[in-house]
Amino acid sequence: RIAEGSAGPLTGIPLAHKGVFCTEGVLTTCGSKMLANFVSPYDAHVVSLLKAAGAVMVGKTNMDEFAMGSSNESSWYGPVRNPWDPAAVPGGSSGGSAVAVAARLVPASTGTDTGGSIRQPASFTGITGIKPTYGRCSRWGIVAFASSLDQAGPMTRTVRDAAISLGAMAGHDPKDSTSATLAVPDFEAVLGQGVRGLRVGIPNEYRIEGMSQEISDAWDKGIAILKAAGAEIVPVSLPHTKYALPTYYIIAPAEASSNLARYDGVRFGSRVMEEGDNLNDMYEKTRAAGFGAEVKRRILIGTYVLSAGYYDAYYKKAQRVRALIAQDFKNAFTQCDVLLTPTAPSAAFGFDYKPSNPVEMYLNDVFTVPTSLAGLPGISIPGGLSKDGLPLGLQLIGNAFCEESLINIAYTLEQAIGFNAKPERIAA
Ligand code: GLN
């Protein structure tokens, strides 16, 4: 095709898709026993677009079950290991896609991000990941977790590759009613425009207590680089930040409990039914056997917050707080063009880290969840290495549908940081 002159922007580029994307004729398991034998009869819209752009799918990647998690440990197929240190988690839920890129198996992979699942694993594995604005990429054919938050995006080694891949994945799709009708800009064209005169906001509330010195140092380095490149640094306030995690962990499980109701043994995936069982027996046995502990926990929480008597106190309240969080960003973007923050509060943690309760694990999402609740785009790029030699990510957050400025600024940062470390095993 290249010789013929009919090549697309990704002709011949090997690509891996997260196990959440439907791929015609190939297993789509979503990291779950429930879908262990599920073969989709069609491709997700973004999968079709990438195919049309010339990319060649070489495989599907492991992930946290139904995209719920921050460490990839909730997959029914077992955890993904981090190539920087096999004793460390790769982040989640798009951990398999992150590692496929970090370990140089493929130059690009797809991920989905509901509360951080592209950005946090990108941060933990030293690669680049973009969560576009909600509506930029079609959700059609992506196994739904929390539909008002789910977005697809690319995971790559460089900002340029992310720009090219996002260009191929984005665009209006009439099959997704929340898909934006905007034209797709040439994201690659903005690389190198520079940041002179741009205003970069630094949210006060992201200097959280207990943040490690190395994260704080990487953040300060990013600030200094953008300042030296001609950007104006503006302190801003996002006062409702502290409510983002509790809000997310009501809304996401609520939507998940509704979305996952379809796995009942009738239409999708596995069915457990014994001689003499009635319909309810089948539902109960199928769901008990097919879902793992984290998925069950979310379904229970979600069902609870949506139930009569609790709906107003939890779900409706969370929706109101979500609006306030979105308003915080609107206010901030009257003072600045983009926000710079760390991606995650730590480097990749070890498999030996055992949170004393599930909420401790949820704290990982503290810097990524607010953006998701507001539907805004965010990108994570490598900001440096921790003292243990693990990657640390920096996040840029943009206004709605301003991926171009996000990509341009990320590129300036990337060029100045010059991150060229590789996992030791890969370098050898
Ligand atoms: N870690 C978050 C969660 O467990 C985010 C997951 C995601 O973005 N898919 O819900």
Side-chain angles (χ1 to χ4, degrees), residues 297-379:
R297 179 178 300 122
R298 307 261 182 135
I299 292 173
L300 286 172
I301 297 171
T303 310
Y304 179 79
V305 299
L306 289 177
S307 57
Y310 295 106
Y311 184 92
D312 286 348
Y314 294 105
Y315 182 71
K316 218 163 151 192
K317 184 72 119 320
Q319 292 290 21
R320 294 207 174 116
V321 180
R322 180 178 188 175
L324 294 174
I325 290 166
Q327 189 58 47
D328 278 358
F329 282 104
K330 274 208 183 94
N331 296 344
F333 286 125
T334 61
Q335 297 160 267
C336 63
D337 302 295
V338 71
L339 299 164
L340 177 70
T341 77
T343 308
S346 71
F349 46 89
F351 286 104
D352 55 358
Y353 166 69
K354 294 280 169 263
S356 51
N357 62 63
V359 175
E360 217 176 290
M361 186 62 94
Y362 300 164
L363 297 178
N364 255 289
D365 307 326
V366 61
F367 299 140
T368 48
V369 147
T371 329
S372 300
L373 289 168
L376 300 175
I379 183 169

Side-chain angles (χ1 to χ4, degrees), residues 18 66-70 92-93 112-118 145 150 248-249 252 294 298 362 364-365 369:
K18 183 177 180 180
F66 284 104
M68 298 171 189
S70 306
S93 64
T112 53
D113 190 312
T114 301
S117 281
I118 287 176
F145 165 11
D150 298 342
Y248 173 85
Y249 278 99
E294 184 60 30
R298 307 261 182 135
Y362 300 164
N364 255 289
D365 307 326
V369 147

Side-chain angles (χ1 to χ4, degrees), residues 6-90:
S6 65
L10 296 173
T11 292
I13 302 292
L15 195 83
H17 286 302
K18 183 177 180 180
V20 73
F21 290 93
C22 285
T23 44
E24 188 184 342
V26 176
L27 279 176
T28 296
T29 67
C30 228
S32 184
K33 187 179 177 194
M34 185 64 91
L35 292 178
N37 296 318
F38 176 64
V39 178
S40 166
Y42 59 83
D43 281 331
H45 188 68
V46 295
V47 169
S48 310
L49 288 177
L50 286 164
K51 222 182 234 178
V56 182
M57 180 183 80
V58 295
K60 303 288 287 285
T61 61
N62 199 353
M63 56 183 280
D64 277 306
E65 187 177 3
F66 284 104
M68 298 171 189
S70 306
S71 65
N72 240 285
E73 292 165 294
S74 80
S75 170
W76 186 64
Y77 300 90
V80 176
R81 292 180 184 279
N82 192 324
W84 293 85
D85 175 2
V89 306

Side-chain angles (χ1 to χ4, degrees), residues 211-219 347 385-388 390 392:
M211 186 161 79
S212 77
Q213 190 58 42
E214 46 197 19
I215 299 279
S216 176
D217 290 348
W219 192 9
L385 290 178
S386 74
K387 60 180 182 330
D388 298 327
L390 292 172
L392 302 171

